[in-house]
């Protein structure tokens, strides 16, 4: 994968999107700002960064094909190609405007990289963002970090990531140990994170990293993957990232190893425990790759789980 990327310039975006907004006005909102809710004093928007196009084997290769086939049929899925959405969460709380992940940028996937247009539909420009919190450092969550001057795209923001995740991707040995198919992930992550080395804040499992926002260790998809529990009084929401990475096999067969997880055994263990908790507590969730904006909740069935989307 070409690491000589030219990310969309913040300067060009601000100049160009102003004209689009003047012409289109609120007509942009249904397309980009596709889910909203209020959590106490928190205003939550789930906005789109587009979608990915992945070979089915990236997810399905470790799974038993005879048991997988009826699940694919049930959900009308191809075994060859998957096109998961990319849902980025924006939280506005008091004087803070917080992004959980920053999407792909323009160079990871042809149908991804729409985050800036989605934010513009809400009247949010990059300079408005006060905090960026990363679930993990895979390309579709991190590579939207820099503009084409290699400056942070959100110049007024503070940045936060789990310490375990940071240590893994910044380690120069990772590129040689991660495997050939993901070596470009390691190169891209190390380059981008290095740009934040003097300004990033680290956190660990269970810490309240912002008022009402607690980090939750959900390791397995990556070595230091984090989810985030947002809570205001009795109301709560879990931002999942990729620890529950789809609405089909992850719910129907959470115990199966997934090819998308860097540690499939740990990923399955994390997924099963979290699904059980979310179903028991009826906690709302936002999943980065879940359908219909990713907002919904987990329902326990007789022998598995299902994702109930909120439209």
């Amino acid at each position: 994968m070409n690491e000589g990327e030219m990310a969309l310039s913040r300067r060009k975006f601000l100049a160009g999107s102003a004209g689009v907004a003047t012409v289109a006005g609120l007509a942009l909102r249904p397309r980009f700002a596709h889910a909203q809710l209020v959590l106490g004093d928190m205003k939550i928007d789930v906005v789109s960064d587009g979608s990915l196009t992945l070979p089915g084997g990236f997810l399905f290769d470790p799974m038993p094909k005879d048991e997988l086939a009826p699940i694919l049929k049930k959900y009308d899925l191809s075994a060859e190609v998957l096109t998961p959405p990319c849902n980025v969460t924006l939280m506005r709380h008091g004087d803070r405007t917080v992004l959980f992940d920053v999407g792909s940028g323009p160079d990871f996937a042809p149908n991804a990289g729409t985050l800036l247009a989605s934010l513009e539909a809400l009247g949010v420009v990059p300079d408005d963002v006060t905090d960026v919190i990363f679930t993990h450092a895979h390309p579709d969550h991190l590579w939207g970090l820099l503009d084409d001057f290699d400056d942070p795209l959100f110049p007024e923001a503070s940045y936060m990531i789990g310490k375990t995740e940071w240590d893994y991707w910044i380690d120069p040995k990772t590129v040689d140990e991660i495997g050939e198919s993901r070596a470009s992930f390691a190169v891209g992550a190390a380059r981008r994170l290095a740009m934040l080395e003097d300004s990033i804040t680290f956190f660990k499992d269970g810490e309240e990293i912002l008022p009402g926002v607690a980090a939750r260790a959900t390791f397995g998809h990556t070595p230091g993957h984090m989810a985030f529990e947002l809570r205001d009084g009795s109301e709560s929401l879990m931002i999942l990232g990729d620890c529950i990475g789809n609405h089909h096999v992850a719910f129907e067969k959470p115990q199966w190893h997934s090819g998308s997880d860097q540690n499939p055994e740990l990923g399955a263990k994390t997924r099963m425990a979290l699904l059980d908790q979310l179903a028991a507590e009826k906690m709302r969730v936002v999943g980065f790759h879940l359908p219909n904006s990713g907002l919904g909740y987990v329902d326990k069935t007789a022998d598995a789980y299902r994702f109930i989307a909120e439209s």
Side-chain angles (χ1 to χ4, degrees):
M1 198 168 296
N2 183 5
E3 268 301 297
E5 59 269 347
M6 290 183 57
L8 183 61
S9 162
R10 177 172 63 90
R11 299 158 182 81
K12 292 178 183 176
F13 166 72
L14 291 174
S17 62
V20 172
T22 300
V23 174
L26 294 179
L28 282 175
R29 294 181 186 272
R31 179 181 175 191
F32 294 117
H34 54 246
Q36 296 180 327
L37 71 148
V38 174
L39 198 72
D41 292 332
M42 301 176 185
K43 182 177 180 181
I44 310 297
D45 293 278
V46 185
V47 297
S48 178
D49 191 49
S51 62
L52 304 180
T53 302
L54 301 173
F58 180 73
L59 187 70
F60 300 138
D61 274 354
M63 300 177 183
K65 300 303 181 286
D66 56 339
E67 295 181 64
L68 175 63
I71 297 174
L72 298 182
K73 183 177 181 180
K74 176 179 178 179
Y75 289 90
D76 193 25
L77 295 171
S78 165
E80 305 303 321
V81 179
L82 296 171
T83 56
C86 299
N87 306 304
V88 175
T89 303
L90 174 75
M91 179 187 79
R92 286 175 280 189
H93 188 203
D95 60 355
R96 293 185 182 274
T97 298
V98 183
L99 275 177
F100 294 86
D101 296 329
V102 293
S104 298
D107 294 312
F108 177 62
N111 297 322
T114 65
L115 176 61
L116 293 182
S118 298
L119 292 175
E120 174 66 12
L122 293 173
V124 176
V125 296
D127 285 2
D128 294 334
V129 176
T130 59
D131 303 270
V132 172
I133 303 172
F134 295 108
T135 61
H136 64 299
H138 275 169
D140 50 330
H141 298 255
L142 175 71
W143 283 21
L145 176 66
L146 303 178
D147 66 17
D148 62 1
F149 298 91
D150 268 357
D151 294 324
L153 186 58
F154 304 97
E156 304 301 318
S158 64
Y159 295 86
M160 288 178 270
I161 194 170
K163 185 63 164 63
T164 301
E165 187 75 356
W166 170 272
D167 287 346
Y168 176 75
W169 292 106
I170 210 72
D171 187 340
K173 296 192 296 293
T174 294
V175 68
D176 297 318
E177 296 173 352
I178 196 172
E180 184 178 355
S181 65
R182 288 183 168 141
S184 63
F185 291 13
V187 172
R191 190 175 78 78
R192 287 165 177 82
L193 293 175
M195 303 294 290
L196 304 178
E197 194 158 12
D198 295 330
S199 58
I200 199 160
T201 300
F202 305 121
F203 54 82
K204 296 181 180 179
D205 180 35
E207 293 183 2
E208 186 177 44
I209 58 177
L210 290 176
V213 180
R216 171 73 182 272
T218 45
F219 299 170
H221 181 69
T222 61
H225 187 287
M226 288 282 187
F228 302 98
E229 184 174 337
L230 279 53
R231 187 172 291 275
D232 191 302
S234 62
E235 298 183 87
S236 60
L237 171 76
M238 186 78 76
I239 297 173
L240 297 173
D242 285 0
C243 59
I244 303 174
N246 61 75
H247 67 293
H248 36 87
V249 290
F251 284 80
E252 295 273 355
K253 297 291 184 180
Q255 71 275 20
W256 282 0
H257 288 186
S258 171
S260 66
D261 291 339
Q262 290 185 220
N263 184 331
E265 183 175 356
L266 181 56
K269 182 179 179 180
T270 292
R271 192 161 47 248
M272 289 188 290
L274 189 57
L275 283 167
D276 196 51
Q277 176 202 342
L278 294 169
E281 297 182 7
K282 299 296 183 186
M283 187 185 299
R284 277 172 156 167
V285 302
V286 176
F288 196 86
H289 295 305
L290 298 183
N292 298 325
S293 82
L295 175 64
Y297 63 94
V298 177
D299 184 40
K300 187 169 177 58
T301 66
D303 56 358
Y305 304 87
R306 61 176 176 161
F307 175 61
I308 307 296
E310 293 188 18
S311 56

